[in-house]
Amino acid sequence: MLVAALAVALLQIDIGFALPTISAVGAKLFTSEGQQWFIKGVAYQLSNDDPLVNVDQCKKDVTVMKDLGVNAIRVYHVDPKQDHKGCMSALEDAGIYLFVDLDTFPTYILADQPEWDKSRLEAYQAVLDEFQKYDNTAGVFVGNEVLNEPSDIKAAPYVLAAGRDIKQYRDQKGYRNIPVGYSAADIATLRPMLQNYMACRPEPRERLDFYALNSYEWCGPASYTTSGYSILQNMTADLNIPIFFSETGCNAVKPRTFGDQEAIFSPDMSDTWSGSIIYEYVQEANDFGLVSYGPPTAPVAASNGLETCAHNDSSWSADEVSFYRYSNNPEPIQPDYDNLKSQWAKVSPKGVSQSAYDTATVKPVACPPQDATWTIDPSAALPTLGSTETFTPNSVTPTTASGTSSATGTAKPTSEPSGSSAENNAAQASDKPHKSDGAGHSMLNFLRRSKGTSGEGCELSATGTALVAIGLAFFWL
């Protein structure tokens, strides 16, 4: 009887098996078991709403993700006040990790007038506080595509300052060393200066833990050389922090065959690159999805002071439709789904064990010299909390709340060569709803249709109205 009772009691215990945690060591990602880790991920965010609170939908999606071969997701916007245990547990049970952006539209670092202040820091900290609880949080981003052209270079120190302060907060709180990084737009005129700037400073606390790239260079039947990936590899081979593709999956040629995955996980690139995140999991108006929840439902009718939200589907613009909030049984979109599944199934980079990895040979990459192209002095002090950017067309002077200078530089925008990969990529990426245009369409549309407490409707608060006005001002300056 005693044995039988004990057996029943054991069956009733919810035994959880935690995934090994992920850390950045030198230029690679490792599990806490000492094995090098490579990312096979998908971007997971259909709307502005937090996708990690609907447990039923998470479980449906996780089942499909596991079949696809996913081991990581990227989520762009979350609400740290919500309960994420259900979704994070479902992901963990399937062996799936999370990369989460710390910023939201109101706390985004704007390229036109970058600022790093207490309110942003506290917002970033709140997201970190929430997700550090979970062993399957693989990393956090302090920014996404903040810099999109040469004139945006002045924002680079502010992104790096955000990384510095989040790392310091992480360490002060005694959290594990969750990697802190940045997701960059693939802009030819900023390569490789931006990645090197984020990794070159002599003090490790002032370097990012990883760097990631949103790149749509590989389109259709390309190759390692014709796609431009060989150039990316040459530019990153000596980088001293991990690098991976935080978005990839060009859809200019259909169907998508995802031939770039074979290259990314091949010996040509896998010694430098730690994998990729495919844009994106759920189908929306931009046609990047791997699964579909079915046709969108019409938005709720309500006036927000700027426009009326009672539109038929056909009258909404592409990025407006893409922000519908809906969920359903995920159905694979073929043949793209099976094409990616097949590519991932046949790639298995060997990597190296952490014990065999000699970090003594990993030295900080050389900082980009200050010149007419890269206008930031790499040796200048990073902005302190409360810093904001004031500038004239020929100079950049960050000031703190007390008015002291913290960095200098000269902003001289240069034009992008016609037909360049960066120009083509920008056109390719312009339809992605999560491509951040400073105060452009993404932030503005979010504010125009800010959700009420019920999660439905389009009412705009007084704060939202003010933020829209600020966004419009930045956008049209």
Side-chain angles (χ1 to χ4, degrees), residues 67-396:
D67 172 73
L68 182 59
V70 170
N71 69 4
I73 63 171
R74 178 184 180 181
V75 173
Y76 297 80
H77 305 294
V78 293
D79 180 354
K81 298 183 180 67
Q82 298 297 317
D83 181 5
H84 300 95
K85 183 177 180 180
C87 284
M88 291 300 290
S89 294
L91 290 164
E92 183 175 37
D93 290 344
I96 298 174
Y97 292 85
L98 169 71
F99 285 91
V100 61
D101 290 53
L102 299 181
D103 65 324
T104 59
F105 290 112
T107 61
Y108 192 79
I109 296 174
L110 298 173
D112 286 345
Q113 190 167 355
E115 184 177 6
W116 180 237
D117 56 18
K118 184 179 179 182
S119 64
R120 285 178 170 82
L121 174 60
E122 290 177 345
Y124 289 25
Q125 289 171 340
V127 177
L128 182 62
D129 288 339
E130 171 62 13
F131 286 93
Q132 60 81 28
K133 303 173 186 175
Y134 305 106
D135 288 337
N136 56 329
T137 298
V140 297
F141 295 102
V142 293
N144 178 62
E145 297 188 356
V146 177
L147 287 75
N148 288 281
E149 56 188 35
S151 62
D152 294 340
I153 288 173
K154 59 185 174 292
Y158 291 82
V159 173
L160 196 52
R164 172 203 61 199
D165 289 350
I166 287 298
K167 289 175 62 172
Q168 181 180 27
Y169 177 77
R170 175 198 66 190
D171 297 344
Q172 288 175 344
K173 295 288 286 187
Y175 297 156
R176 64 180 174 85
N177 285 334
I178 299 172
V180 177
Y182 172 67
S183 176
D186 185 11
I187 308 300
T189 50
L190 297 179
R191 290 197 246 117
M193 293 81 73
L194 180 58
Q195 69 180 32
N196 293 347
Y197 177 77
M198 297 294 181
C200 73
R201 298 180 74 85
E203 289 292 332
R205 65 185 181 86
E206 291 190 338
R207 304 177 206 144
L208 293 181
D209 294 327
F210 68 87
Y211 187 85
L213 193 66
N214 297 344
S215 178
Y216 293 81
E217 290 194 22
W218 191 304
C219 294
S223 69
Y224 176 61
T225 53
T226 62
S227 66
Y229 272 34
S230 59
I231 297 174
L232 291 179
Q233 170 59 28
N234 290 338
M235 288 182 171
T236 57
D238 295 328
L239 195 61
N240 52 300
I241 58 176
I243 185 169
F244 59 89
F245 291 94
S246 45
E247 285 182 14
T248 187
C250 171
N251 69 352
V253 179
K254 296 290 250 175
R256 293 192 288 177
T257 58
F258 302 101
D260 65 328
Q261 299 304 293
E262 184 174 2
I264 291 168
F265 293 100
S266 74
D268 286 330
M269 299 183 73
S270 62
D271 192 47
T272 302
W273 296 79
S274 294
S276 68
I277 296 174
I278 302 299
Y279 190 88
E280 63 182 323
Y281 176 73
V282 183
Q283 177 77 319
E284 46 187 320
N286 57 22
D287 201 29
F288 279 86
L290 294 165
V291 305
S292 173
Y293 289 158
T297 57
V300 176
S303 175
N304 63 14
L306 290 177
E307 64 179 336
T308 299
C309 290
H311 295 280
N312 295 324
D313 292 352
S314 60
S315 69
W316 280 58
S317 66
D319 69 318
E320 288 174 328
V321 173
S322 70
F323 285 131
Y324 282 8
R325 184 181 182 219
Y326 55 87
S327 59
N328 209 333
N329 294 320
E331 295 292 336
I333 295 175
Q334 300 293 7
D336 290 25
Y337 180 96
D338 280 348
N339 287 344
L340 178 58
K341 180 178 178 179
S342 175
Q343 289 286 0
W344 276 347
K346 67 184 182 183
V347 294
S348 182
K350 293 182 180 179
V352 63
S353 67
Q354 187 172 344
S355 60
Y357 181 46
D358 185 7
T359 56
T361 62
V362 182
K363 304 296 183 183
V365 70
C367 288
Q370 184 179 19
D371 56 25
T373 302
W374 184 260
T375 57
I376 298 296
D377 179 0
S379 65
L382 295 178
T384 55
L385 199 63
S387 294
T388 187
E389 192 81 20
T390 58
F391 61 92
T392 64
N394 295 318
S395 65
V396 178

Side-chain angles (χ1 to χ4, degrees), residues 435-466:
K435 181 180 186 298
S436 302
D437 296 340
H441 73 275
S442 292
M443 186 177 84
L444 180 58
N445 285 336
F446 166 73
L447 293 171
R448 288 165 69 187
R449 290 186 300 282
S450 59
K451 303 290 185 184
T453 55
S454 65
E456 297 182 2
C458 304
E459 59 273 5
L460 192 66
S461 65
T463 301
T465 303

Side-chain angles (χ1 to χ4, degrees), residues 21-26 28-37 350-359:
T21 58
I22 302 299
S23 61
V25 179
K28 302 183 186 300
L29 297 173
F30 288 96
T31 71
S32 53
E33 296 175 342
Q35 299 301 310
Q36 188 175 353
W37 184 63
K350 293 182 180 179
V352 63
S353 67
Q354 187 172 344
S355 60
Y357 181 46
D358 185 7
T359 56

